[in-house]
């Protein structure tokens, strides 16, 4: 049998993203025992590069987990709170709500500040909620709310948390690597990210970056999970230089290659690259008559939520574009019926956007369902 030649599909879903060839090739590195010093050295390099991408230095460190972004969020939420700790969660989209669901699943005391999807967060309102309940030791917030494409001002929220003597946990899963975010400058206590979104690595690794002192404190907290106990992973990875459990070894090869590319490009330049692609995409869609409801100044560089054109079912749009080499992404929950999402993260360039807009312009007139009263349904 002859293999079909590889066809590049442009992934416009917000992760896993298109990767560079060096990242894909690194995946096929040598077989390696995770208890040998070679793996310890690889893991340590990956952890250091993660810390650097997060804008932090030697006072901080990072821990890598084998799992998707949610594993690192669950590890952080279940480990960072002391025995009688409580969590205030800012909810202005699907992923904010999910932080609440994760903490609640472990019986953590949790209060949800429900703002409504796509509503900008008012730091003063968060400050009032913290002030009203001294038992809320931690604040959790999503940086880029991937359900709407809204970027939340985590630096302002970190300073609100600090002013009230609370710690902040940031879900930076879909922002770290491209959006302006700096653990030190922005005063982020716990920064959680993943390999396969703006860092352009392979799916299957996630991480947590925090001050070393914060990791040290974890030993005094109750262990609410065995596998996702961040204190256990910190002790193993940082203190003994070996992983707690069997890690996804080949993904570490690929992640190191991706981190090297990210550090060489720089977070600010990557943000400008994504921003330029998003700008071109948004202008082109607007020209085609589509509407992007979120105010421009709230938009992340890596995602655009677009209103579905009248009479065009999402499934038909998805199918027609996939046939032309582009994977678009459905919207979630309350936005599912009327919207779709397009990501500009990953190894993507201007030609991809041009080709996408041309394909979109071609398929659009063919997709509208017959107006009500038609009999072809
Ligand atoms: C993708 C994403 C996650 C994690 O999803 P996984 O499927 O577990 O990787 C969490 N938060 C945000 C904001 C995300 O975009």
């Amino acid at each position: 049998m002859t293999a079909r030649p590889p066809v590049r599909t442009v992934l416009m879903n917000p992760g896993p993203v298109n990767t560079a060839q060096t990242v894909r090739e690194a995946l096929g590195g040598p077989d390696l025992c995770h208890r040998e010093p070679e793996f310890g050295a690889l893991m340590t390099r990956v952890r250091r590069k993660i810390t650097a991408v997060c804008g932090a230095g030697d006072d901080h460190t990072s821990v890598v987990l084998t799992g998707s972004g949610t594993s690192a969020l669950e590890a952080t939420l279940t480990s960072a709170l002391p025995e009688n700790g409580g969590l205030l969660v800012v909810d202005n989209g699907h992923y904010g709500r999910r932080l609440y669901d994760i903490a609640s699943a472990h019986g953590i005391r949790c209060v949800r500040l429900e703002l409504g999807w796509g509503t900008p967060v008012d730091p003063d309102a968060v400050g009032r909620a913290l002030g009203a309940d001294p038992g809320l030791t931690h604040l959790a917030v999503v940086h880029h709310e991937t359900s709407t494409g809204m970027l939340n001002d985590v630096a302002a929220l970190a300073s609100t948390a600090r002013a009230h003597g609370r710690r902040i946990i940031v879900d930076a899963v879909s922002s770290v690597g491209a959006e302006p975010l700096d653990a030190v400058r922005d005063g982020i206590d716990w920064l959680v990210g993943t390999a396969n979104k703006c860092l352009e690595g392979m799916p299957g690794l996630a991480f947590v970056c925090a001050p070393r002192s914060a990791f040290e404190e974890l030993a005094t907290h109750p262990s609410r999970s065995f596998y996702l106990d961040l204190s256990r992973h910190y002790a193993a990875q940082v203190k003994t230089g070996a992983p707690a459990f069997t890690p996804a070894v080949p993904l570490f090869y690929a992640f190191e290659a991706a981190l090297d590319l990210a550090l060489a490009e720089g977070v600010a330049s990557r943000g400008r690259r994504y921003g330029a692609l998003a700008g071109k995409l948004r202008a082109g869609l607007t020209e085609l008559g589509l509407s992007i409801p979120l105010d421009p100044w709230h938009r992340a560089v890596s995602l655009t939520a677009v209103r579905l054109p009248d009479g065009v079912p999402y499934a038909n749009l998805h199918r027609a574009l996939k046939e032309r080499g582009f994977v678009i992404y459905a919207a979630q929950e309350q936005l599912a019926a009327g919207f779709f999402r397009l990501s500009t993260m990953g190894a993507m360039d201007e030609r991809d956007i041009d080709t996408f807009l041309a394909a979109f312009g071609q398929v659009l007139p063919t997709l509208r369902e017959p107006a009500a009263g038609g009999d072809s349904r």
Side-chain angles (χ1 to χ4, degrees):
M1 275 202 349
T2 49
R4 276 206 284 161
V7 180
R8 178 167 177 269
T9 297
V10 179
L11 300 180
M12 302 186 81
N13 51 292
V17 299
N18 286 111
T19 50
Q21 193 169 342
T22 53
V23 173
R24 287 192 301 278
E25 285 171 0
L27 204 51
D31 295 336
L32 179 59
C33 168
H34 65 296
R35 298 273 168 227
E36 291 299 314
E38 290 83 353
F39 182 77
L42 169 63
M43 185 183 69
T44 301
R45 290 196 305 275
V46 165
R47 290 199 306 96
R48 291 209 175 112
K49 289 171 186 182
I50 290 168
T51 307
V53 157
C54 294
D58 244 13
D59 289 345
H60 284 62
T61 194
S62 298
V63 162
V64 199
L65 301 178
T66 291
S68 77
T70 308
S71 70
L73 289 170
E74 190 152 357
T76 305
L77 291 167
T78 55
S79 302
L81 273 71
E83 178 81 57
N84 294 312
L87 186 70
L88 178 67
V89 177
V90 176
D91 170 2
N92 66 342
H94 173 83
Y95 290 95
R97 167 72 204 219
R98 246 176 42 138
L99 296 176
Y100 173 85
D101 291 340
I102 294 167
S104 300
H106 292 272
I108 289 167
R109 192 181 150 244
C110 204
V111 172
R112 185 162 63 104
L113 192 64
E114 188 179 1
L115 303 173
W117 285 35
T119 305
V121 186
D122 171 11
D124 292 337
V126 173
R128 283 193 296 277
L130 290 174
D133 190 341
L136 299 174
T137 52
H138 289 67
L139 172 67
V141 62
V142 177
H143 187 204
H144 167 209
E145 184 43 87
T146 326
S147 55
T148 60
M150 176 173 260
L151 202 63
N152 289 324
D153 187 350
V154 292
L157 293 167
S159 97
T160 301
R162 200 163 45 249
H164 286 82
R166 319 298 168 88
R167 299 274 170 86
I168 186 166
I169 298 169
V170 175
D171 172 350
V173 169
S174 64
S175 60
V176 63
E179 296 291 351
L181 180 66
D182 186 305
V184 175
R185 180 200 63 206
D186 300 334
I188 311 299
D189 297 297
W190 296 98
L191 192 163
V192 182
T194 188
N196 62 276
K197 294 196 183 183
C198 302
L199 290 172
E200 303 187 4
M202 293 286 171
L205 294 181
F207 60 84
V208 184
C209 175
R212 287 177 192 272
S213 56
F215 276 112
E216 286 288 334
E217 278 175 26
L218 297 181
T220 65
H221 298 173
S223 177
R224 299 179 178 92
S225 164
F226 184 85
Y227 195 73
L228 294 176
D229 181 348
L230 206 51
S231 185
R232 174 195 308 281
H233 289 281
Y234 166 72
Q237 294 184 18
V238 180
K239 299 213 157 154
T240 69
F245 309 110
T246 310
V249 176
L251 295 181
F252 278 78
Y253 292 135
F255 198 15
E256 182 169 41
L259 285 163
D260 286 342
L261 292 176
L263 289 168
E265 184 174 8
V267 172
S269 317
R270 181 163 291 185
R272 281 193 293 275
R273 172 164 63 89
Y274 287 6
L277 296 175
K280 195 177 192 29
L281 177 68
R282 290 161 186 170
L285 291 169
T286 307
E287 212 163 291
L288 288 169
L290 281 93
S291 120
I292 301 160
L294 194 65
D295 287 328
W297 52 92
H298 288 310
R299 292 177 196 163
V301 293
S302 62
L303 191 108
T304 308
V306 188
R307 200 181 290 283
L308 272 170
D310 283 341
V312 176
Y314 171 76
N316 298 4
L317 184 62
H318 175 269
R319 191 179 331 108
L321 289 167
K322 192 169 177 187
E323 281 165 8
R324 286 163 178 78
F326 298 92
V327 168
I328 65 168
Y329 209 53
Q332 293 152 303
E333 298 177 52
Q334 56 187 265
L335 297 188
F339 291 82
F340 64 103
R341 293 179 289 169
L342 298 172
S343 153
T344 37
M345 55 178 85
M348 199 184 281
D349 62 26
E350 289 206 3
R351 271 168 317 175
D352 293 324
I353 302 297
D354 286 333
T355 329
F356 173 79
L357 288 168
F360 203 102
Q362 273 174 7
V363 302
L364 196 55
T366 70
L367 289 175
R368 297 193 198 272
E369 285 201 328
D375 56 7
S376 64
R377 253 170 250 233

